[in-house]
C-alpha cells in the first residue's frame, strides 16, 4: 500500500454487468420515463452524427448501481459502482500461499509503455515493501469491496485456477454457488475487518477471480469536489452470465439496483437518482454495446492496451461549468494544473472547433458530453445525447 500518498487515497471500483435471466421481464427498479430513443451503433466510431442512447429493451444485460448512505462523508446519496479504498491486507504476502502463479499471477501483460502508465498501476510496489503487484492488489480490493457492499462474491475453487486462465476470453463469468448462510457469515466478518477476506479465501480454498476483471480506466477526483478527500481510482469491468444474489450492506449502502445503462442515465435526467460525472461518462460508454457478449469480448481484448489517468479540471463558464478531460484543447499540460480562464485565452480558442473532450454541467442533473477526440488505447467513445438546451453547448 502506498503510504507516501498525501493528497489522495488509492481505490478500486468494479463496473459489474450481468445478463438477463430467461423469463425475467425487468431487473430495474423502475420503468423508463423517457420515450424510446434511436439505437446506437455497436461500432465505437461509426457515423458522423452522435448516436442516441439505445432503448432499454435492446440491452441483454444490466449494470449494478449502489446508493451510498446519506451519512457518507463522500458523495452521500450518490449511485455508484461497487468499490472502495485499498487496504494493507490487499497487499499481504499471505496471498502468495493462495495463488500459484506469482509474480504475474496469471494476469495478461499490458502493452502500454511503462512511462505512460497511470501512477496507480505504474508504482513499483516492491519499493514500498509489497511483493503483491499493484494490478493484483487493486483487483483484490475491487472484489473485496464488491462483496462487502453488495454480497456478490466473485471467487473460484483453487483447483480451477489453470482452467479459468485458458477460457477467460470464451465466456462471461459464472456466479459461484456457495451456501447463503456461509456467505452471510463471512460477509459480516469481512465488513468488520478487510483482512478476513484473505482468511475466508484460505479457509474456503477459493481464489478471488482477479482474471475476470479487465482494466477499464482510471479517474482521479478533481480538486475541491465532494469534500476534501480525493481518490485515485482504478476502474475494472466484469461480465457475468446471470444476475447474482445481491444484498445491500445496510451500512455504507442503502439500496442496490440492477438496471440497463440507458435506464440509469434516464433516471438521472429525470432527477430520480444522482450519479457523479465518472459514472455518467462510463455508463455512456457502455451504451455502445447493448450486447453482453460484444461488451465482454471488447473488454477482454481492449484491457491489454492500458489506460490513462483522467483528472477532470473544472472551468466555470457563466451559469454552468465545464469539466475538461485529457485531450481537450483547454486541458492544462500539467496533470494538477489549472485552466487559464482569462478572456484573451478564451477568445483565442473560440475559433477552434477540434479537440473537445468535456462534460458540460448545467446543474447537478443536467450533463452533456462533447467529444471530438479519438480515444487513446483503443477505448470507447461515449454515446452523446444532444444538450438539453441551447445554453448547454460551449464553443470555447
Amino acid at each position: 500500500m502506498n503510504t507516501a500518498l498525501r493528497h489522495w487515497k488509492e481505490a478500486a471500483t468494479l463496473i459489474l454487468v450481468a445478463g438477463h435471466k430467461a423469463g425475467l421481464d425487468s431487473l430495474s427498479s423502475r420503468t423508463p420515463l423517457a420515450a424510446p430513443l434511436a439505437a446506437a451503433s455497436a461500432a465505437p466510431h461509426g457515423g458522423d452524427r452522435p448516436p442516441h442512447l439505445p432503448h432499454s429493451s435492446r440491452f441483454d444485460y444490466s449494470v449494478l448501481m449502489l446508493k451510498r448512505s446519506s451519512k457518507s462523508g463522500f458523495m452521500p446519496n450518490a449511485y455508484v459502482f461497487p468499490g472502495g479504498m485499498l487496504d494493507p491486507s490487499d497487499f499481504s504476502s499471505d496471498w502468495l500461499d493462495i495463488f500459484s502463479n506469482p509474480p504475474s499471477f496469471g494476469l495478461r501483460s499490458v502493452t502500454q509503455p511503462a512511462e505512460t502508465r497511470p501512477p496507480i498501476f505504474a508504482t513499483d510496489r516492491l519499493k514500498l515493501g509489497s511483493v503483491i503487484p499493484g494490478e493484483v492488489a487493486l483487483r483484490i480490493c475491487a472484489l473485496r469491496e464488491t462483496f462487502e457492499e453488495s454480497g456478490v462474491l466473485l471467487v473460484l475453487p483453487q483447483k480451477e485456477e489453470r482452467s479459468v486462465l485458458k477460457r477467460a476470453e470464451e465466456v462471461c463469468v459464472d456466479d459461484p454457488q456457495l451456501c447463503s448462510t456461509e456467505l452471510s457469515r463471512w460477509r459480516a466478518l469481512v465488513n468488520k475487518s478487510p483482512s478476513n477476506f484473505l482468511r475466508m479465501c484460505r479457509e474456503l480454498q477459493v481464489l478471488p477471480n482477479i482474471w475476470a476483471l479487465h482494466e477499464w480506466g482510471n479517474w482521479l477526483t478533481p480538486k475541491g469536489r465532494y469534500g476534501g478527500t480525493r481518490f485515485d481510482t482504478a476502474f475494472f469491468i466484469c461480465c457475468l452470465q446471470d444476475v447474482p444474489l445481491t444484498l445491500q450492506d445496510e451500512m455504507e449502502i442503502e439500496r442496490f439496483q440492477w438496471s440497463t445503462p440507458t435506464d440509469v442515465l434516464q433516471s438521472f435526467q429525470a432527477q430520480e437518482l444522482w450519479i457523479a460525472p465518472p459514472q455518467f461518462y462510463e455508463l455512456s460508454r457502455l451504451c455502445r454495446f447493448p450486447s453482453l457478449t460484444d461488451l465482454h469480448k471488447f473488454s477482454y481484448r481492449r484491457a491489454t492496451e492500458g489506460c490513462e489517468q483522467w483528472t477532470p479540471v473544472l472551468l466555470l463558464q457563466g451559469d454552468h461549468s465545464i469539466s475538461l478531460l485529457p485531450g481537450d484543447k483547454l486541458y492544462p499540460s500539467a496533470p494538477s494544473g489549472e485552466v487559464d480562464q482569462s478572456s484573451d485565452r478564451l477568445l483565442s480558442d473560440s475559433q477552434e472547433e477540434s479537440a473537445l473532450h468535456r462534460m458540460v454541467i448545467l446543474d447537478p442533473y443536467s450533463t452533456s458530453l462533447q467529444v471530438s477526440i479519438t480515444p487513446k488505447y483503443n477505448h470507447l467513445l461515449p454515446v452523446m445525447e444532444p444538450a438539453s438546451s441551447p445554453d448547454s453547448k460551449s464553443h470555447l
Side-chain angles (χ1 to χ4, degrees):
M1 190 169 183
N2 194 351
T3 56
L5 291 178
R6 295 181 180 179
H7 303 295
W8 53 75
K9 301 179 183 298
E10 292 181 316
T13 195
L14 181 59
I15 303 173
L16 187 61
V17 303
H20 296 171
K21 292 182 179 179
L24 191 60
D25 293 331
S26 175
L27 293 165
S28 174
S29 63
R30 63 178 293 278
T31 300
L33 299 180
L37 299 170
S41 168
H45 309 293
D48 295 329
R49 287 184 61 189
H52 291 255
L53 294 177
H55 188 259
S56 183
S57 62
R58 290 200 60 216
F59 289 87
D60 64 0
Y61 68 85
S62 292
V63 60
L64 177 61
M65 304 297 298
L66 306 176
K67 184 183 180 183
R68 295 182 63 84
S69 167
S70 59
K71 300 178 181 179
S72 174
F74 183 75
M75 293 196 297
N77 296 313
Y79 277 75
V80 297
F81 306 125
M85 288 192 301
L86 278 168
D87 184 80
S89 65
D90 300 326
F91 288 94
S92 172
S93 60
D94 290 342
W95 286 112
L96 297 177
D97 298 328
I98 295 176
F99 290 96
S100 61
N101 287 301
S104 69
F105 291 79
L107 292 175
R108 296 174 298 154
S109 59
V110 176
T111 59
Q112 181 181 8
E115 61 271 17
T116 66
R117 290 286 278 160
I120 196 169
F121 293 115
T123 298
D124 187 345
R125 305 291 170 166
L126 272 175
K127 292 182 178 179
L128 300 176
S130 171
V131 295
I132 306 299
E135 298 200 29
V136 174
L138 287 164
R139 285 169 168 81
I140 291 174
C141 172
L143 293 168
R144 173 180 54 75
E145 288 284 346
T146 297
F147 181 47
E148 289 181 29
E149 295 180 338
S150 71
V152 177
L153 179 62
L154 301 177
V155 296
L156 53 90
Q158 288 179 332
K159 61 184 179 182
E160 294 184 12
E161 181 175 355
R162 290 187 178 181
S163 63
V164 77
L165 296 180
K166 294 180 180 179
R167 58 186 176 87
E169 185 180 10
E170 298 175 3
V171 295
C172 302
V173 181
D174 283 315
D175 177 37
Q177 300 297 316
L178 295 175
C179 171
S180 59
T181 302
E182 190 172 31
L183 278 179
S184 297
R185 182 177 73 87
W186 278 113
R187 187 184 178 200
L189 290 171
V190 174
N191 268 304
K192 288 182 179 179
S193 173
S195 63
N196 282 325
F197 189 65
L198 191 155
R199 175 187 162 198
M200 177 196 71
C201 291
R202 180 189 292 115
E203 293 191 15
L204 296 181
Q205 296 185 332
V206 296
L207 297 168
N209 196 345
I210 59 174
W211 309 281
L213 274 58
H214 308 305
E215 184 177 313
W216 186 261
N218 175 212
W219 290 79
L220 175 60
T221 309
K223 291 182 178 180
R225 301 289 286 183
Y226 319 117
T229 304
R230 301 177 66 193
F231 292 94
D232 187 10
T233 305
F235 278 63
F236 298 97
I237 190 169
C238 174
C239 298
L240 300 179
Q241 290 184 338
D242 295 310
V243 173
L245 176 66
T246 315
L247 298 168
Q248 62 262 26
D249 66 359
E250 298 181 356
M251 296 171 61
E252 296 180 32
I253 303 303
E254 290 186 351
R255 70 185 301 266
F256 70 88
Q257 178 172 313
W258 286 95
S259 299
T260 69
T262 290
D263 276 353
V264 179
L265 292 171
Q266 290 178 342
S267 293
F268 171 64
Q269 294 166 356
Q271 301 189 21
E272 297 175 355
L273 55 79
W274 185 79
I275 53 177
Q279 279 72 22
F280 180 87
Y281 195 103
E282 300 302 354
L283 288 166
S284 298
R285 268 178 167 170
L286 295 185
C287 287
R288 288 284 176 179
F289 285 114
S291 163
L292 179 65
T293 298
D294 290 342
L295 177 61
H296 171 69
K297 289 180 178 179
F298 171 81
S299 303
Y300 180 86
R301 294 170 183 173
R302 196 223 64 83
T304 57
E305 299 278 346
C307 68
E308 60 182 334
Q309 185 188 74
W310 285 4
T311 307
V313 175
L314 296 181
L315 171 63
L316 297 180
Q317 183 72 7
D319 59 354
H320 63 276
S321 62
I322 300 171
S323 182
L324 302 174
L325 296 171
D328 191 279
K329 63 193 178 187
L330 291 184
Y331 195 80
S333 56
S336 59
E338 300 295 336
V339 176
D340 179 2
Q341 302 191 44
S342 67
S343 58
D344 290 341
R345 171 66 188 273
L346 298 183
L347 181 62
S348 66
D349 283 323
S350 64
Q351 304 302 317
E352 301 177 18
E353 296 297 331
S354 61
L356 299 179
H357 192 202
R358 57 185 64 177
M359 290 180 277
V360 180
I361 305 171
L362 294 178
D363 60 55
Y365 293 93
S366 300
T367 300
S368 62
L369 294 166
Q370 295 180 3
V371 185
S372 63
I373 65 167
T374 299
K376 289 185 177 181
Y377 308 110
N378 198 29
H379 221 315
L380 288 174
L381 282 170
V383 171
M384 291 170 279
E385 278 289 270
S388 57
S389 71
D391 292 338
S392 65
K393 289 190 175 181
S394 172
H395 299 288
L396 294 179

